[in-house]
Amino acid sequence: MVLPKYDVVITTDRSMMSNYHGKEFLGFVTTGPLFITVGPFRKLGEWIHEYIAMPKMKVDKYGRPYQAPYGMRKIEAALLDAGINAAIIDPDYVHKYIPNAKMLMLSHHDYFGLNPPSSTWSAIVGKEPLNAYSFRRFMMRIRPYIMDAKSRNGLKVVVGGPAAWQWLYLPELMDFFGVDTVFDGEGERLVVDLVKRMLNNESVPRYVYVGVNDVPSIDEIPTIKYPAVNGFIEIGRGCPRGCAFCPVTIRPLRCTRSRRSRRN
Ligand code: SF4
C-alpha cells in the first residue's frame, strides 16, 4: 500500500493515544506503577495493565487514528489552517512515516512520570509508572528511524504538550532521542511560525516558552478538523478562581461565551 506523505507527523505513545474503553478516567490507570516488573509474569502483568488502561486506538488503513488527544488535534488544526501538510499518526504506524517526514512532533501529559499522581505512586512503591514506561518503550522503538531520518533528510523533532517542561530536567535525553526543540505552552499562536522556520531550515531556540502575552486569543484557537478522544470538546481555557500559587491564573480566561458575546 502506498502511504500518504506528510511534512509534519504528530504522534505520541499508546498511554495517550487510546480511548480508554470509552471511559476517560480509566486513563488515570496509566499513571499507576507497572503491576509486575520482574520474573516470568512481567509480560503478562504488562499485558493486563495495558489492556485495562490503554487499549489500542482504532485507525484507518493508513494508520491515522479515529480519535486523538484534544491538544494534538488543536496543533494539527493550526498547521492545516496554515497550509502545512500535517497529520496525526498512531504510534504503531509512525515509523512508516518518519523516513519521508520533515518534522516529527511529540506531545504528552507526563513523558517521564514526573507529574502527580504518577510520581506519587512511584515514590510509594518504587516502580516506574506505566505511562513513563510506555513512552520510553515507544521512543526506543522509533529512535533508529528518527536518527536515520535526521542524518539522511535533516528530520527535525519537537516535543511539546502539557509535560514539555519535563525535558528540561532530563536534557541528556534530548540528545539521545534527537530532540531539536522543546515547545512549552499553548501553541496555537506561535507553533505555525516555529514549524515554518524549521521546515525552512532556519535556526530556532532549543527551548520555546509561550509567555502570557503570547497565548492565543479565543479567535486564534482553531476548530479541530477530526475527532478528539471520546468526543471531547473545549468550552474554555483558564480558571476564574485565582489561587495564588497556580500558574493557570496568569493566563487570561477564555471561553465560548466570550466568543459569542464578542460577535454579538
Ligand atoms: S489551582 Fe488553579 S486551576 Fe485549580 S482552582 Fe485554583 S486557579 Fe483554578
Side-chain angles (χ1 to χ4, degrees), residues 6-9 94 97-106 142-158 177-181 198-199 201:
Y6 295 111
D7 290 339
V8 181
V9 170
V94 74
Y97 287 86
I98 290 173
N100 292 315
K102 295 176 181 168
M103 279 187 70
L104 177 68
M105 300 182 80
L106 297 158
I142 64 168
R143 182 174 179 268
Y145 298 91
I146 291 175
M147 293 311 182
D148 183 58
K150 285 184 88 70
S151 60
R152 279 192 306 104
N153 308 333
L155 176 80
K156 306 288 193 309
V157 181
V158 176
F177 289 124
V179 173
D180 296 283
T181 294
M198 293 181 95
L199 290 175
N201 290 320

PDB file of all heavy atoms in Angstrom, residues 6-9 94 97-106 142-158 177-181 198-199 201:
ATOM      1  N   TYR A   6       3.510  13.064   4.660  1.00  0.00           N
ATOM      2  CA  TYR A   6       3.230  14.259   5.460  1.00  0.00           C
ATOM      3  C   TYR A   6       4.539  14.943   5.814  1.00  0.00           C
ATOM      4  O   TYR A   6       5.474  14.286   6.286  1.00  0.00           O
ATOM      5  CB  TYR A   6       2.478  13.884   6.737  1.00  0.00           C
ATOM      6  CG  TYR A   6       1.097  13.320   6.450  1.00  0.00           C
ATOM      7  CD1 TYR A   6       0.819  11.981   6.684  1.00  0.00           C
ATOM      8  CD2 TYR A   6       0.097  14.133   5.930  1.00  0.00           C
ATOM      9  CE1 TYR A   6      -0.441  11.460   6.401  1.00  0.00           C
ATOM     10  CE2 TYR A   6      -1.160  13.617   5.646  1.00  0.00           C
ATOM     11  CZ  TYR A   6      -1.412  12.286   5.880  1.00  0.00           C
ATOM     12  OH  TYR A   6      -2.653  11.777   5.590  1.00  0.00           O
ATOM     13  N   ASP A   7       4.591  16.271   5.612  1.00  0.00           N
ATOM     14  CA  ASP A   7       5.792  17.015   6.016  1.00  0.00           C
ATOM     15  C   ASP A   7       5.942  16.994   7.528  1.00  0.00           C
ATOM     16  O   ASP A   7       7.045  16.890   8.053  1.00  0.00           O
ATOM     17  CB  ASP A   7       5.701  18.472   5.541  1.00  0.00           C
ATOM     18  CG  ASP A   7       5.818  18.588   4.039  1.00  0.00           C
ATOM     19  OD1 ASP A   7       6.361  17.646   3.419  1.00  0.00           O
ATOM     20  OD2 ASP A   7       5.362  19.603   3.480  1.00  0.00           O
ATOM     21  N   VAL A   8       4.806  17.122   8.213  1.00  0.00           N
ATOM     22  CA  VAL A   8       4.830  17.151   9.677  1.00  0.00           C
ATOM     23  C   VAL A   8       3.984  15.999  10.211  1.00  0.00           C
ATOM     24  O   VAL A   8       2.791  15.907   9.913  1.00  0.00           O
ATOM     25  CB  VAL A   8       4.281  18.491  10.215  1.00  0.00           C
ATOM     26  CG1 VAL A   8       4.329  18.516  11.741  1.00  0.00           C
ATOM     27  CG2 VAL A   8       5.068  19.662   9.639  1.00  0.00           C
ATOM     28  N   VAL A   9       4.624  15.137  10.966  1.00  0.00           N
ATOM     29  CA  VAL A   9       3.934  13.998  11.572  1.00  0.00           C
ATOM     30  C   VAL A   9       3.840  14.249  13.076  1.00  0.00           C
ATOM     31  O   VAL A   9       4.836  14.557  13.730  1.00  0.00           O
ATOM     32  CB  VAL A   9       4.707  12.692  11.286  1.00  0.00           C
ATOM     33  CG1 VAL A   9       4.148  11.544  12.094  1.00  0.00           C
ATOM     34  CG2 VAL A   9       4.654  12.370   9.792  1.00  0.00           C
ATOM     35  N   VAL A  94       3.811   5.076  13.118  1.00  0.00           N
ATOM     36  CA  VAL A  94       4.581   6.291  12.848  1.00  0.00           C
ATOM     37  C   VAL A  94       5.951   5.996  12.240  1.00  0.00           C
ATOM     38  O   VAL A  94       6.475   6.792  11.450  1.00  0.00           O
ATOM     39  CB  VAL A  94       4.699   7.138  14.144  1.00  0.00           C
ATOM     40  CG1 VAL A  94       5.675   6.529  15.139  1.00  0.00           C
ATOM     41  CG2 VAL A  94       5.073   8.560  13.814  1.00  0.00           C
ATOM     42  N   TYR A  97       6.164   6.537   8.591  1.00  0.00           N
ATOM     43  CA  TYR A  97       6.070   7.903   8.082  1.00  0.00           C
ATOM     44  C   TYR A  97       7.347   8.714   8.330  1.00  0.00           C
ATOM     45  O   TYR A  97       7.604   9.682   7.615  1.00  0.00           O
ATOM     46  CB  TYR A  97       4.887   8.623   8.740  1.00  0.00           C
ATOM     47  CG  TYR A  97       3.550   8.133   8.225  1.00  0.00           C
ATOM     48  CD1 TYR A  97       2.943   7.022   8.792  1.00  0.00           C
ATOM     49  CD2 TYR A  97       2.924   8.766   7.151  1.00  0.00           C
ATOM     50  CE1 TYR A  97       1.731   6.545   8.310  1.00  0.00           C
ATOM     51  CE2 TYR A  97       1.711   8.305   6.666  1.00  0.00           C
ATOM     52  CZ  TYR A  97       1.120   7.189   7.253  1.00  0.00           C
ATOM     53  OH  TYR A  97      -0.081   6.720   6.763  1.00  0.00           O
ATOM     54  N   ILE A  98       8.104   8.333   9.345  1.00  0.00           N
ATOM     55  CA  ILE A  98       9.279   9.132   9.716  1.00  0.00           C
ATOM     56  C   ILE A  98      10.279   9.272   8.550  1.00  0.00           C
ATOM     57  O   ILE A  98      10.802  10.369   8.315  1.00  0.00           O
ATOM     58  CB  ILE A  98       9.949   8.544  10.981  1.00  0.00           C
ATOM     59  CG1 ILE A  98       9.043   8.793  12.198  1.00  0.00           C
ATOM     60  CG2 ILE A  98      11.324   9.157  11.218  1.00  0.00           C
ATOM     61  CD1 ILE A  98       9.506   8.107  13.484  1.00  0.00           C
ATOM     62  N   PRO A  99      10.548   8.216   7.780  1.00  0.00           N
ATOM     63  CA  PRO A  99      11.562   8.368   6.720  1.00  0.00           C
ATOM     64  C   PRO A  99      11.239   9.451   5.697  1.00  0.00           C
ATOM     65  O   PRO A  99      12.152  10.037   5.116  1.00  0.00           O
ATOM     66  CB  PRO A  99      11.574   6.974   6.061  1.00  0.00           C
ATOM     67  CG  PRO A  99      11.129   6.049   7.145  1.00  0.00           C
ATOM     68  CD  PRO A  99      10.106   6.819   7.919  1.00  0.00           C
ATOM     69  N   ASN A 100       9.966   9.760   5.473  1.00  0.00           N
ATOM     70  CA  ASN A 100       9.603  10.769   4.475  1.00  0.00           C
ATOM     71  C   ASN A 100       9.158  12.096   5.088  1.00  0.00           C
ATOM     72  O   ASN A 100       8.756  13.006   4.360  1.00  0.00           O
ATOM     73  CB  ASN A 100       8.469  10.241   3.586  1.00  0.00           C
ATOM     74  CG  ASN A 100       8.934   9.098   2.708  1.00  0.00           C
ATOM     75  OD1 ASN A 100      10.005   9.173   2.112  1.00  0.00           O
ATOM     76  ND2 ASN A 100       8.161   8.027   2.655  1.00  0.00           N
ATOM     77  N   ALA A 101       9.187  12.189   6.407  1.00  0.00           N
ATOM     78  CA  ALA A 101       8.722  13.415   7.070  1.00  0.00           C
ATOM     79  C   ALA A 101       9.861  14.419   7.200  1.00  0.00           C
ATOM     80  O   ALA A 101      11.039  14.046   7.219  1.00  0.00           O
ATOM     81  CB  ALA A 101       8.159  13.081   8.443  1.00  0.00           C
ATOM     82  N   LYS A 102       9.484  15.699   7.293  1.00  0.00           N
ATOM     83  CA  LYS A 102      10.480  16.740   7.561  1.00  0.00           C
ATOM     84  C   LYS A 102      10.517  17.095   9.048  1.00  0.00           C
ATOM     85  O   LYS A 102      11.507  17.598   9.549  1.00  0.00           O
ATOM     86  CB  LYS A 102      10.163  17.993   6.739  1.00  0.00           C
ATOM     87  CG  LYS A 102      10.278  17.750   5.239  1.00  0.00           C
ATOM     88  CD  LYS A 102       9.864  18.984   4.457  1.00  0.00           C
ATOM     89  CE  LYS A 102       9.966  18.702   2.962  1.00  0.00           C
ATOM     90  NZ  LYS A 102       9.325  19.753   2.166  1.00  0.00           N
ATOM     91  N   MET A 103       9.369  16.870   9.693  1.00  0.00           N
ATOM     92  CA  MET A 103       9.312  17.163  11.129  1.00  0.00           C
ATOM     93  C   MET A 103       8.502  16.102  11.847  1.00  0.00           C
ATOM     94  O   MET A 103       7.500  15.609  11.312  1.00  0.00           O
ATOM     95  CB  MET A 103       8.634  18.520  11.386  1.00  0.00           C
ATOM     96  CG  MET A 103       9.533  19.714  11.212  1.00  0.00           C
ATOM     97  SD  MET A 103       8.692  21.226  11.727  1.00  0.00           S
ATOM     98  CE  MET A 103       8.613  21.003  13.493  1.00  0.00           C
ATOM     99  N   LEU A 104       8.929  15.804  13.060  1.00  0.00           N
ATOM    100  CA  LEU A 104       8.178  14.909  13.943  1.00  0.00           C
ATOM    101  C   LEU A 104       7.851  15.709  15.194  1.00  0.00           C
ATOM    102  O   LEU A 104       8.749  16.300  15.812  1.00  0.00           O
ATOM    103  CB  LEU A 104       9.032  13.685  14.299  1.00  0.00           C
ATOM    104  CG  LEU A 104       8.408  12.691  15.284  1.00  0.00           C
ATOM    105  CD1 LEU A 104       7.218  11.976  14.637  1.00  0.00           C
ATOM    106  CD2 LEU A 104       9.442  11.669  15.741  1.00  0.00           C
ATOM    107  N   MET A 105       6.565  15.740  15.549  1.00  0.00           N
ATOM    108  CA  MET A 105       6.148  16.492  16.736  1.00  0.00           C
ATOM    109  C   MET A 105       5.524  15.529  17.741  1.00  0.00           C
ATOM    110  O   MET A 105       4.645  14.737  17.386  1.00  0.00           O
ATOM    111  CB  MET A 105       5.152  17.583  16.351  1.00  0.00           C
ATOM    112  CG  MET A 105       5.737  18.585  15.371  1.00  0.00           C
ATOM    113  SD  MET A 105       4.587  19.913  14.960  1.00  0.00           S
ATOM    114  CE  MET A 105       4.776  20.968  16.401  1.00  0.00           C
ATOM    115  N   LEU A 106       5.987  15.615  18.976  1.00  0.00           N
ATOM    116  CA  LEU A 106       5.505  14.718  20.034  1.00  0.00           C
ATOM    117  C   LEU A 106       4.807  15.535  21.111  1.00  0.00           C
ATOM    118  O   LEU A 106       5.182  16.677  21.382  1.00  0.00           O
ATOM    119  CB  LEU A 106       6.680  13.964  20.664  1.00  0.00           C
ATOM    120  CG  LEU A 106       7.446  13.043  19.719  1.00  0.00           C
ATOM    121  CD1 LEU A 106       8.846  12.784  20.244  1.00  0.00           C
ATOM    122  CD2 LEU A 106       6.709  11.724  19.552  1.00  0.00           C
ATOM    123  N   ILE A 142      11.204   3.838  18.074  1.00  0.00           N
ATOM    124  CA  ILE A 142      11.292   4.703  16.887  1.00  0.00           C
ATOM    125  C   ILE A 142      12.637   5.441  16.788  1.00  0.00           C
ATOM    126  O   ILE A 142      12.907   6.066  15.766  1.00  0.00           O
ATOM    127  CB  ILE A 142      10.126   5.723  16.823  1.00  0.00           C
ATOM    128  CG1 ILE A 142      10.167   6.714  17.989  1.00  0.00           C
ATOM    129  CG2 ILE A 142       8.789   5.006  16.745  1.00  0.00           C
ATOM    130  CD1 ILE A 142       9.209   7.893  17.798  1.00  0.00           C
ATOM    131  N   ARG A 143      13.451   5.358  17.837  1.00  0.00           N
ATOM    132  CA  ARG A 143      14.729   6.106  17.822  1.00  0.00           C
ATOM    133  C   ARG A 143      15.582   5.788  16.588  1.00  0.00           C
ATOM    134  O   ARG A 143      16.123   6.707  15.955  1.00  0.00           O
ATOM    135  CB  ARG A 143      15.512   5.841  19.104  1.00  0.00           C
ATOM    136  CG  ARG A 143      16.803   6.621  19.179  1.00  0.00           C
ATOM    137  CD  ARG A 143      17.497   6.446  20.522  1.00  0.00           C
ATOM    138  NE  ARG A 143      18.733   7.171  20.557  1.00  0.00           N
ATOM    139  CZ  ARG A 143      19.921   6.668  20.225  1.00  0.00           C
ATOM    140  NH1 ARG A 143      20.007   5.396  19.884  1.00  0.00           N
ATOM    141  NH2 ARG A 143      21.018   7.405  20.271  1.00  0.00           N
ATOM    142  N   PRO A 144      15.742   4.517  16.201  1.00  0.00           N
ATOM    143  CA  PRO A 144      16.566   4.264  14.999  1.00  0.00           C
ATOM    144  C   PRO A 144      16.015   4.958  13.753  1.00  0.00           C
ATOM    145  O   PRO A 144      16.790   5.450  12.924  1.00  0.00           O
ATOM    146  CB  PRO A 144      16.505   2.733  14.851  1.00  0.00           C
ATOM    147  CG  PRO A 144      16.135   2.224  16.206  1.00  0.00           C
ATOM    148  CD  PRO A 144      15.277   3.274  16.827  1.00  0.00           C
ATOM    149  N   TYR A 145      14.701   5.025  13.632  1.00  0.00           N
ATOM    150  CA  TYR A 145      14.088   5.695  12.472  1.00  0.00           C
ATOM    151  C   TYR A 145      14.346   7.206  12.537  1.00  0.00           C
ATOM    152  O   TYR A 145      14.601   7.851  11.521  1.00  0.00           O
ATOM    153  CB  TYR A 145      12.576   5.426  12.436  1.00  0.00           C
ATOM    154  CG  TYR A 145      12.225   3.973  12.272  1.00  0.00           C
ATOM    155  CD1 TYR A 145      12.026   3.160  13.382  1.00  0.00           C
ATOM    156  CD2 TYR A 145      12.099   3.404  11.007  1.00  0.00           C
ATOM    157  CE1 TYR A 145      11.712   1.815  13.241  1.00  0.00           C
ATOM    158  CE2 TYR A 145      11.786   2.068  10.856  1.00  0.00           C
ATOM    159  CZ  TYR A 145      11.598   1.269  11.974  1.00  0.00           C
ATOM    160  OH  TYR A 145      11.297  -0.045  11.828  1.00  0.00           O
ATOM    161  N   ILE A 146      14.246   7.765  13.765  1.00  0.00           N
ATOM    162  CA  ILE A 146      14.499   9.202  13.939  1.00  0.00           C
ATOM    163  C   ILE A 146      15.945   9.524  13.566  1.00  0.00           C
ATOM    164  O   ILE A 146      16.222  10.448  12.790  1.00  0.00           O
ATOM    165  CB  ILE A 146      14.225   9.628  15.404  1.00  0.00           C
ATOM    166  CG1 ILE A 146      12.735   9.549  15.731  1.00  0.00           C
ATOM    167  CG2 ILE A 146      14.749  11.036  15.659  1.00  0.00           C
ATOM    168  CD1 ILE A 146      12.403   9.840  17.187  1.00  0.00           C
ATOM    169  N   MET A 147      16.874   8.755  14.101  1.00  0.00           N
ATOM    170  CA  MET A 147      18.292   9.056  13.880  1.00  0.00           C
ATOM    171  C   MET A 147      18.662   8.894  12.409  1.00  0.00           C
ATOM    172  O   MET A 147      19.437   9.684  11.862  1.00  0.00           O
ATOM    173  CB  MET A 147      19.161   8.163  14.781  1.00  0.00           C
ATOM    174  CG  MET A 147      19.003   8.484  16.248  1.00  0.00           C
ATOM    175  SD  MET A 147      19.175  10.276  16.520  1.00  0.00           S
ATOM    176  CE  MET A 147      19.025  10.383  18.277  1.00  0.00           C
ATOM    177  N   ASP A 148      18.083   7.873  11.794  1.00  0.00           N
ATOM    178  CA  ASP A 148      18.365   7.660  10.370  1.00  0.00           C
ATOM    179  C   ASP A 148      17.818   8.835   9.536  1.00  0.00           C
ATOM    180  O   ASP A 148      18.501   9.360   8.663  1.00  0.00           O
ATOM    181  CB  ASP A 148      17.727   6.338   9.928  1.00  0.00           C
ATOM    182  CG  ASP A 148      18.042   6.030   8.482  1.00  0.00           C
ATOM    183  OD1 ASP A 148      19.232   5.952   8.142  1.00  0.00           O
ATOM    184  OD2 ASP A 148      17.100   5.901   7.669  1.00  0.00           O
ATOM    185  N   ALA A 149      16.569   9.239   9.852  1.00  0.00           N
ATOM    186  CA  ALA A 149      15.960  10.347   9.097  1.00  0.00           C
ATOM    187  C   ALA A 149      16.684  11.659   9.367  1.00  0.00           C
ATOM    188  O   ALA A 149      16.771  12.512   8.478  1.00  0.00           O
ATOM    189  CB  ALA A 149      14.478  10.470   9.454  1.00  0.00           C
ATOM    190  N   LYS A 150      17.203  11.841  10.567  1.00  0.00           N
ATOM    191  CA  LYS A 150      17.944  13.071  10.866  1.00  0.00           C
ATOM    192  C   LYS A 150      19.222  13.142  10.033  1.00  0.00           C
ATOM    193  O   LYS A 150      19.571  14.186   9.495  1.00  0.00           O
ATOM    194  CB  LYS A 150      18.300  13.135  12.360  1.00  0.00           C
ATOM    195  CG  LYS A 150      17.129  13.480  13.253  1.00  0.00           C
ATOM    196  CD  LYS A 150      17.529  13.633  14.699  1.00  0.00           C
ATOM    197  CE  LYS A 150      17.968  15.033  15.015  1.00  0.00           C
ATOM    198  NZ  LYS A 150      16.875  16.011  15.010  1.00  0.00           N
ATOM    199  N   SER A 151      19.907  12.007   9.934  1.00  0.00           N
ATOM    200  CA  SER A 151      21.168  12.047   9.190  1.00  0.00           C
ATOM    201  C   SER A 151      20.927  12.090   7.678  1.00  0.00           C
ATOM    202  O   SER A 151      21.698  12.701   6.943  1.00  0.00           O
ATOM    203  CB  SER A 151      22.051  10.851   9.571  1.00  0.00           C
ATOM    204  OG  SER A 151      21.378   9.660   9.263  1.00  0.00           O
ATOM    205  N   ARG A 152      19.858  11.471   7.202  1.00  0.00           N
ATOM    206  CA  ARG A 152      19.609  11.451   5.753  1.00  0.00           C
ATOM    207  C   ARG A 152      18.884  12.701   5.268  1.00  0.00           C
ATOM    208  O   ARG A 152      19.262  13.317   4.282  1.00  0.00           O
ATOM    209  CB  ARG A 152      18.780  10.225   5.360  1.00  0.00           C
ATOM    210  CG  ARG A 152      19.590   8.947   5.221  1.00  0.00           C
ATOM    211  CD  ARG A 152      18.813   7.829   4.560  1.00  0.00           C
ATOM    212  NE  ARG A 152      17.550   7.564   5.223  1.00  0.00           N
ATOM    213  CZ  ARG A 152      16.366   7.941   4.770  1.00  0.00           C
ATOM    214  NH1 ARG A 152      16.273   8.570   3.623  1.00  0.00           N
ATOM    215  NH2 ARG A 152      15.265   7.672   5.449  1.00  0.00           N
ATOM    216  N   ASN A 153      17.808  13.084   5.987  1.00  0.00           N
ATOM    217  CA  ASN A 153      16.938  14.171   5.497  1.00  0.00           C
ATOM    218  C   ASN A 153      16.918  15.402   6.394  1.00  0.00           C
ATOM    219  O   ASN A 153      16.178  16.331   6.132  1.00  0.00           O
ATOM    220  CB  ASN A 153      15.469  13.696   5.406  1.00  0.00           C
ATOM    221  CG  ASN A 153      15.315  12.417   4.638  1.00  0.00           C
ATOM    222  OD1 ASN A 153      16.136  12.124   3.785  1.00  0.00           O
ATOM    223  ND2 ASN A 153      14.276  11.669   4.940  1.00  0.00           N
ATOM    224  N   GLY A 154      17.632  15.369   7.497  1.00  0.00           N
ATOM    225  CA  GLY A 154      17.596  16.506   8.419  1.00  0.00           C
ATOM    226  C   GLY A 154      16.279  16.621   9.156  1.00  0.00           C
ATOM    227  O   GLY A 154      15.795  17.722   9.430  1.00  0.00           O
ATOM    228  N   LEU A 155      15.669  15.478   9.473  1.00  0.00           N
ATOM    229  CA  LEU A 155      14.411  15.494  10.226  1.00  0.00           C
ATOM    230  C   LEU A 155      14.548  16.344  11.484  1.00  0.00           C
ATOM    231  O   LEU A 155      15.539  16.229  12.211  1.00  0.00           O
ATOM    232  CB  LEU A 155      14.029  14.055  10.634  1.00  0.00           C
ATOM    233  CG  LEU A 155      12.776  13.914  11.507  1.00  0.00           C
ATOM    234  CD1 LEU A 155      11.516  13.996  10.660  1.00  0.00           C
ATOM    235  CD2 LEU A 155      12.801  12.606  12.308  1.00  0.00           C
ATOM    236  N   LYS A 156      13.524  17.166  11.738  1.00  0.00           N
ATOM    237  CA  LYS A 156      13.502  17.968  12.962  1.00  0.00           C
ATOM    238  C   LYS A 156      12.509  17.346  13.943  1.00  0.00           C
ATOM    239  O   LYS A 156      11.449  16.863  13.531  1.00  0.00           O
ATOM    240  CB  LYS A 156      13.068  19.406  12.660  1.00  0.00           C
ATOM    241  CG  LYS A 156      13.878  20.094  11.571  1.00  0.00           C
ATOM    242  CD  LYS A 156      15.254  20.435  12.060  1.00  0.00           C
ATOM    243  CE  LYS A 156      15.998  21.386  11.137  1.00  0.00           C
ATOM    244  NZ  LYS A 156      16.045  20.994   9.725  1.00  0.00           N
ATOM    245  N   VAL A 157      12.855  17.388  15.209  1.00  0.00           N
ATOM    246  CA  VAL A 157      11.996  16.792  16.233  1.00  0.00           C
ATOM    247  C   VAL A 157      11.655  17.857  17.275  1.00  0.00           C
ATOM    248  O   VAL A 157      12.551  18.515  17.816  1.00  0.00           O
ATOM    249  CB  VAL A 157      12.674  15.587  16.915  1.00  0.00           C
ATOM    250  CG1 VAL A 157      11.746  14.966  17.960  1.00  0.00           C
ATOM    251  CG2 VAL A 157      13.086  14.537  15.872  1.00  0.00           C
ATOM    252  N   VAL A 158      10.354  18.007  17.522  1.00  0.00           N
ATOM    253  CA  VAL A 158       9.874  18.969  18.524  1.00  0.00           C
ATOM    254  C   VAL A 158       9.047  18.218  19.552  1.00  0.00           C
ATOM    255  O   VAL A 158       8.228  17.364  19.194  1.00  0.00           O
ATOM    256  CB  VAL A 158       8.999  20.063  17.867  1.00  0.00           C
ATOM    257  CG1 VAL A 158       8.421  21.004  18.916  1.00  0.00           C
ATOM    258  CG2 VAL A 158       9.801  20.846  16.850  1.00  0.00           C
ATOM    259  N   PHE A 177      17.438  11.199  22.039  1.00  0.00           N
ATOM    260  CA  PHE A 177      16.297  10.932  21.157  1.00  0.00           C
ATOM    261  C   PHE A 177      16.229  11.905  19.967  1.00  0.00           C
ATOM    262  O   PHE A 177      15.252  11.908  19.224  1.00  0.00           O
ATOM    263  CB  PHE A 177      14.984  10.999  21.940  1.00  0.00           C
ATOM    264  CG  PHE A 177      14.793   9.840  22.890  1.00  0.00           C
ATOM    265  CD1 PHE A 177      14.567  10.046  24.238  1.00  0.00           C
ATOM    266  CD2 PHE A 177      14.835   8.533  22.421  1.00  0.00           C
ATOM    267  CE1 PHE A 177      14.394   8.975  25.117  1.00  0.00           C
ATOM    268  CE2 PHE A 177      14.670   7.458  23.288  1.00  0.00           C
ATOM    269  CZ  PHE A 177      14.449   7.683  24.633  1.00  0.00           C
ATOM    270  N   GLY A 178      17.243  12.747  19.820  1.00  0.00           N
ATOM    271  CA  GLY A 178      17.301  13.625  18.651  1.00  0.00           C
ATOM    272  C   GLY A 178      16.332  14.785  18.701  1.00  0.00           C
ATOM    273  O   GLY A 178      15.918  15.297  17.646  1.00  0.00           O
ATOM    274  N   VAL A 179      15.983  15.233  19.904  1.00  0.00           N
ATOM    275  CA  VAL A 179      15.029  16.345  20.027  1.00  0.00           C
ATOM    276  C   VAL A 179      15.732  17.675  19.743  1.00  0.00           C
ATOM    277  O   VAL A 179      16.773  17.974  20.329  1.00  0.00           O
ATOM    278  CB  VAL A 179      14.402  16.361  21.440  1.00  0.00           C
ATOM    279  CG1 VAL A 179      13.537  17.606  21.635  1.00  0.00           C
ATOM    280  CG2 VAL A 179      13.592  15.099  21.678  1.00  0.00           C
ATOM    281  N   ASP A 180      15.167  18.464  18.823  1.00  0.00           N
ATOM    282  CA  ASP A 180      15.758  19.760  18.486  1.00  0.00           C
ATOM    283  C   ASP A 180      15.227  20.870  19.368  1.00  0.00           C
ATOM    284  O   ASP A 180      15.975  21.754  19.770  1.00  0.00           O
ATOM    285  CB  ASP A 180      15.445  20.100  17.017  1.00  0.00           C
ATOM    286  CG  ASP A 180      16.095  19.123  16.080  1.00  0.00           C
ATOM    287  OD1 ASP A 180      17.299  19.233  15.864  1.00  0.00           O
ATOM    288  OD2 ASP A 180      15.387  18.217  15.579  1.00  0.00           O
ATOM    289  N   THR A 181      13.906  20.851  19.630  1.00  0.00           N
ATOM    290  CA  THR A 181      13.280  21.968  20.350  1.00  0.00           C
ATOM    291  C   THR A 181      12.201  21.470  21.303  1.00  0.00           C
ATOM    292  O   THR A 181      11.429  20.567  20.969  1.00  0.00           O
ATOM    293  CB  THR A 181      12.658  22.965  19.339  1.00  0.00           C
ATOM    294  OG1 THR A 181      13.708  23.572  18.588  1.00  0.00           O
ATOM    295  CG2 THR A 181      11.856  24.046  20.023  1.00  0.00           C
ATOM    296  N   MET A 198      11.349  25.902  10.956  1.00  0.00           N
ATOM    297  CA  MET A 198      12.087  24.637  10.967  1.00  0.00           C
ATOM    298  C   MET A 198      12.026  23.955   9.598  1.00  0.00           C
ATOM    299  O   MET A 198      13.002  23.359   9.140  1.00  0.00           O
ATOM    300  CB  MET A 198      11.562  23.721  12.071  1.00  0.00           C
ATOM    301  CG  MET A 198      11.862  24.268  13.462  1.00  0.00           C
ATOM    302  SD  MET A 198      11.304  23.233  14.818  1.00  0.00           S
ATOM    303  CE  MET A 198      12.793  22.303  15.179  1.00  0.00           C
ATOM    304  N   LEU A 199      10.874  24.056   8.939  1.00  0.00           N
ATOM    305  CA  LEU A 199      10.766  23.461   7.599  1.00  0.00           C
ATOM    306  C   LEU A 199      11.688  24.175   6.610  1.00  0.00           C
ATOM    307  O   LEU A 199      12.150  23.584   5.635  1.00  0.00           O
ATOM    308  CB  LEU A 199       9.316  23.522   7.098  1.00  0.00           C
ATOM    309  CG  LEU A 199       8.315  22.598   7.812  1.00  0.00           C
ATOM    310  CD1 LEU A 199       6.899  22.846   7.303  1.00  0.00           C
ATOM    311  CD2 LEU A 199       8.687  21.129   7.630  1.00  0.00           C
ATOM    312  N   ASN A 201      14.574  25.275   7.434  1.00  0.00           N
ATOM    313  CA  ASN A 201      15.934  25.083   7.966  1.00  0.00           C
ATOM    314  C   ASN A 201      16.513  26.337   8.608  1.00  0.00           C
ATOM    315  O   ASN A 201      17.729  26.536   8.584  1.00  0.00           O
ATOM    316  CB  ASN A 201      16.883  24.576   6.871  1.00  0.00           C
ATOM    317  CG  ASN A 201      16.561  23.149   6.488  1.00  0.00           C
ATOM    318  OD1 ASN A 201      16.245  22.322   7.356  1.00  0.00           O
ATOM    319  ND2 ASN A 201      16.588  22.857   5.203  1.00  0.00           N
TER     320      ASN A 201
END
